């Protein structure tokens, strides 16, 4: 038992062991050594986890420097030469990079316009059901796809909508010719958005249910007494009640505007081609890891990360100015 | 409806609105269930069955599954994924629980507050694919099963959820144990862990699901296709095999490319998730996670 613990719990019994103040004055190193000895067990418990975070989350930050290098894996970080902003210049001169950014932004826009509001609509619909049993049954069904991997989700969609899938069979039986929704580059971005909605619309409702549950029921009751029907109650009570959560999630979404479903798109790029399906993350993978242009890939990755952080800070500031609580 | 709970101030259901809602709910259920049901049922279609959009195959058979279990890459990848999931989940839980407990001592132990901030910060940045790849390579983990576990050993989010749970445990128990002469380690093992079974279970399940579903790390770090987990095999065999006929240079394409075998592979990759799903749902609908995060 030490002094800090007693301070932390004012009501606790005084320590039985001698007060640290009575020990001889010591320097910084001695204090550190004493802390290490006294809290040896806690430090040992912290050790594996902290080593993990330092090695696999902080150490990689050093690798960001290859965005400014003419990096070669054979020479390594210390052997490669610095090249200033060359990689960024090459990146902006690359026509594929321009179409990559355009694809990323279009997909992001579609997701914010359709995949973002979908859980809100579903939560409102389910919330308006009077039968708890039906509500719970629907929830059980719609939460499930969140836990399936993208590989499984796309494989399932392939079996239903692909060239040899159920829809193609149906078209054939009806004499409508062949159809392969999964390999159509023109509609690929709509397909991606539909898949995101299918997989995560249910999962997304959970946070809105929590927000709806925190609205005091008296509000609804007095509104009903004043003659507001269920639509007006939704509009004037439920929606304003969940607005803070909506703003919060939108801020997070805006911070992520440049990362759109990496695995989802990587998996389907072979069937629709890079022109329709190259986004920033897949560009980093194909150009950097597979293509060996490490510096250019890292430059694209760094640009993406930096813009993402800027976006989230800017969105947060706008939300605060608009009177919402914001994220930080 | 027997279980309906309509407060007195809510107007009685309007027939028109109820019908619309019923149709909407029916459509949602159809869109969510049909693809899964179609794949599961048609994985039992015999080799000669004609595929239709219908759910019931014209001929039932276990031949797809016997093809898979005769051996070969699908069976091997299922074993790999199972082992990765078991070992990974155990290690992740151990590291997460010890770290989370250590991080509850921000007031008592010098340096812990700084450690907590270091962990929290990792939630808002990521170095990116290439820097992570370079680190994994530098540690010599390429083409090792450990590359699927060690780089994703703990998530800051799970550490924070568990730490918040530990913080809510009644302090009196710790004080009493300390009076009885228990050290920090025995308090952690004999008091904290037994009281935290619920949060250990739910976080363990989330780790297990993410290990089972792990795809990109395996693709990035494992070149040797004999080490592939199920998600990679599923990708090559079902997705790329179906859309890219050029990819038949590896040994796994000895599998007959019948559609029902493809579906059976999908089902085998999905079954473990379906098994743990009821437990998962029990915990997250109770709000263990959402409640803990707010705290």
């Amino acid at each position: 038992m030490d002094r800090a613990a007693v301070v932390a719990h004012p009501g606790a019994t005084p320590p039985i062991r001698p007060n640290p103040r009575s020990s001889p004055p010591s320097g910084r190193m001695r204090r550190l050594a004493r802390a290490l000895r006294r809290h040896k067990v806690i430090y040992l418990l912290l050790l594996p986890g902290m080593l993990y975070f330092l090695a696999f989350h902080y150490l990689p930050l050093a690798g960001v420097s290859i965005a400014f290098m003419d990096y070669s894996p054979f020479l390594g970080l210390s052997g490669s030469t610095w090249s200033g902003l060359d990689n960024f210049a090459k990146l902006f001169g690359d026509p594929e990079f321009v179409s990559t950014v355009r694809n990323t932004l279009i997909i992001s826009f579609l997701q914010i316009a359709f995949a973002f509001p979908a859980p809100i609509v579903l939560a409102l619909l389910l919330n308006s059901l009077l039968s708890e049993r039906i509500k719970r049954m629907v929830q059980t069904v719609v939460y499930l796809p969140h836990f399936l991997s993208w590989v499984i989700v796309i494989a399932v969609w392939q079996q239903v909508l692909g060239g040899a899938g159920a829809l193609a069979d149906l078209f054939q039986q009806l004499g409508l010719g062949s159809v392969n929704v999964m390999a159509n580059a023109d509609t690929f971005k709509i397909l991606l958005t539909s898949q995101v909605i299918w997989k995560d619309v249910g999962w997304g409702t959970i946070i809105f249910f929590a927000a709806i549950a925190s609205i005091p029921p008296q509000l609804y009751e007095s509104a009903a007494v004043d003659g507001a029907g269920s639509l007006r109650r939704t509009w004037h009570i439920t929606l304003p009640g969940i607005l803070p959560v909506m703003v919060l999630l939108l801020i997070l979404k805006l911070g992520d505007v440049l990362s759109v479903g990496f695995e989802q798109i990587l998996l389907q790029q072979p069937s629709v081609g890079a022109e329709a399906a190259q986004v920033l993350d897949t560009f980093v993978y194909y150009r950097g890891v597979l293509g060996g242009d490490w510096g250019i890939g890292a430059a694209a990755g760094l640009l993406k990360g930096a813009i993402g952080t800027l976006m989230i800070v800017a969105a947060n500031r706008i939300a605060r100015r608009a009177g919402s609580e914001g994220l930080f | 409806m027997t279980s309906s709970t309509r407060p007195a101030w809510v107007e009685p259901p309007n027939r028109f609105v109820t019908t619309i809602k019923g149709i909407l709910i029916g459509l949602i259920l159809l869109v969510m269930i049909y693809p899964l049901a179609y794949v599961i049922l048609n994985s039992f279609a015999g080799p000669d069955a004609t595929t239709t959009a219908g759910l019931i195959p014209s001929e039932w058979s276990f031949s797809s599954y016997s093809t898979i279990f005769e051996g070969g890459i699908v069976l091997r990848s299922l074993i790999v994924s199972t082992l990765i999931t078991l070992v990974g989940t155990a290690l992740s839980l151990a590291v997460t629980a010890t770290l989370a407990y250590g991080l509850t001592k921000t007031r008592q132990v010098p340096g812990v507050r700084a450690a907590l901030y270091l962990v929290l910060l990792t939630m808002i940045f990521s170095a990116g694919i290439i820097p992570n790849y370079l680190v994994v390579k530098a540690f010599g983990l390429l083409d090792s099963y450990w590359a699927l576990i060690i780089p994703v050993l703990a998530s800051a989010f799970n550490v924070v959820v568990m730490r918040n749970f530990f913080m809510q445990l009644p302090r009196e128990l710790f004080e009493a144990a300390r009076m009885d002469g228990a050290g920090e380690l025995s308090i952690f093992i004999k008091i904290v862990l037994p009281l935290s079974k619920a949060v250990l279970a739910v976080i363990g399940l989330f780790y297990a699901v993410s290990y089972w579903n792990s795809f990109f790390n395996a693709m990035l770090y494992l070149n040797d296709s004999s080490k592939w987990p199920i998600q990679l095999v599923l990708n090559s065999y079902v997705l790329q095999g179906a859309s890219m006929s050029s990819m038949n240079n590896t040994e796994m394409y000895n599998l007959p490319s019948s559609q029902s075998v493809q579906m059976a592979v999908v089902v085998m990759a999905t079954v473990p998730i379906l098994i743990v799903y009821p437990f998962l749902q029990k915990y997250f609908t109770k709000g263990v996670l959402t409640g803990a995060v707010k705290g």
Side-chain angles (χ1 to χ4, degrees), chain B:
Chain B
M1 272 320 126
T2 46
S3 60
S4 70
T5 47
R6 181 166 64 90
W9 48 269
V10 174
E11 46 286 90
N14 169 325
R15 189 174 235 163
F16 175 71
V17 174
T18 313
T19 315
I20 300 264
K21 279 184 194 166
I23 292 172
L24 276 177
I25 297 289
L27 276 176
I28 291 170
L29 290 179
L30 180 73
V31 168
M32 302 308 279
I33 295 174
Y34 173 79
L36 294 172
Y38 174 77
V39 169
I40 292 173
L41 290 170
N42 281 287
S43 70
F44 291 103
D48 303 322
T50 48
T51 52
T52 59
L55 288 175
I56 309 299
S58 58
E59 179 199 348
W60 292 90
S61 144
F62 282 98
S63 64
S64 320
Y65 290 94
S66 52
T67 311
I68 289 177
F69 283 105
E70 266 163 21
I73 192 146
V74 177
L75 184 63
R76 190 166 48 192
S77 69
L78 284 169
I79 296 169
V80 168
S81 282
T82 308
L83 290 177
I84 298 278
T85 303
L86 292 177
V87 174
T89 306
L91 286 176
S92 287
L93 265 186
V95 168
T96 305
T98 50
L99 179 61
Y101 182 67
L103 291 179
T104 60
K105 304 288 176 187
T106 40
R107 290 186 181 174
Q108 297 94 321
V109 183
V112 170
R113 186 165 292 278
L116 178 63
Y117 285 128
L118 277 179
V119 172
L120 288 176
L121 261 180
T122 64
M123 291 209 268
I124 58 167
F125 75 86
S126 161
I129 298 166
I130 292 178
N132 284 331
Y133 177 85
L134 294 178
V135 166
V136 170
K137 194 176 161 210
F139 280 118
L141 293 174
L142 287 188
D143 263 326
S144 151
Y145 290 129
W146 291 110
L148 303 189
I149 296 177
I150 295 176
V152 289
L153 196 55
S155 96
F157 181 80
N158 287 343
V159 170
V160 170
V161 169
M162 203 177 277
R163 174 182 177 267
N164 285 348
F165 189 92
F166 290 162
M167 299 284 272
Q168 287 163 4
L169 294 175
R171 277 167 192 279
E172 300 78 46
L173 286 172
F174 303 165
E175 302 296 341
R178 225 167 261 140
M179 289 299 169
D180 291 344
E184 281 295 349
L185 193 63
S186 54
I187 291 177
F188 176 59
I189 291 172
K190 291 186 184 147
I191 298 176
V192 174
L193 289 184
L195 286 173
S196 309
K197 280 184 197 135
V199 75
L200 288 169
V202 69
I203 288 183
L205 284 171
F206 273 87
Y207 276 129
V209 168
S210 77
Y211 279 116
W212 182 263
N213 284 341
S214 126
F215 166 75
F216 181 65
N217 278 352
M219 181 165 159
L220 193 57
Y221 302 139
L222 303 181
N223 280 316
D224 181 355
S225 66
S226 71
K227 287 181 175 162
W228 280 1
I230 182 68
Q231 306 288 340
L232 263 187
V233 170
L234 183 62
N235 172 45
S236 302
Y237 179 59
V238 180
L239 290 183
Q240 312 310 340
S243 54
M244 274 191 2
S245 49
S246 60
M247 264 195 64
N248 44 12
N249 46 358
T250 42
E251 43 157 338
M252 58 187 293
Y253 292 94
N254 303 333
L255 277 173
S257 74
S258 127
Q259 210 175 351
S260 62
V261 179
Q262 291 189 355
M263 294 192 190
V265 180
V266 177
V267 172
M268 290 312 298
T270 312
V271 160
I273 303 290
L274 293 180
I275 292 173
V276 299
Y277 180 60
F279 301 100
L280 271 170
Q281 208 206 351
K282 188 176 114 193
Y283 286 113
F284 69 66
T285 44
K286 262 192 202 162
V288 170
L289 285 182
T290 44
V293 177
K294 279 186 206 142

Side-chain angles (χ1 to χ4, degrees), chain A residues 251 255 307-319 328:
Chain A
I251 294 174
I307 292 176
T309 310
L310 279 179
M311 287 290 295
I312 203 166
V313 171
N316 189 57
R317 186 157 298 173
I318 293 168
F328 44 81

Side-chain angles (χ1 to χ4, degrees), chain A residues 150-166:
Chain A
W150 271 114
V151 190
I152 294 175
V153 169
I154 292 162
V156 167
W157 277 57
Q158 176 83 44
Q159 300 298 332
V160 175
L161 299 177

Side-chain angles (χ1 to χ4, degrees), chain A residues 164-233:
Chain A
L167 186 69
D169 286 330
L170 195 67
F171 266 53
Q172 219 130 43
Q173 282 164 19
L174 298 175
L176 292 170
S178 66
V179 61
N180 186 353
V181 180
M182 299 294 286
N184 186 339
D186 297 330
T187 54
F188 181 63
K189 295 181 177 72
I190 300 170
L191 177 76
L192 285 179
T193 311
S194 318
Q195 288 168 340
V196 168
I197 295 177
W198 190 80
K199 188 174 192 283
D200 279 327
V201 66
W203 184 248
T205 60
I206 292 179
I207 192 156
F208 291 110
F209 277 128
I212 291 172
S214 69
I215 299 172
Q218 300 91 301
L219 287 182
Y220 291 102
E221 194 172 345
S222 46
V225 171
D226 288 347
S230 72
L231 266 184
R232 299 196 65 172
R233 289 200 299 270

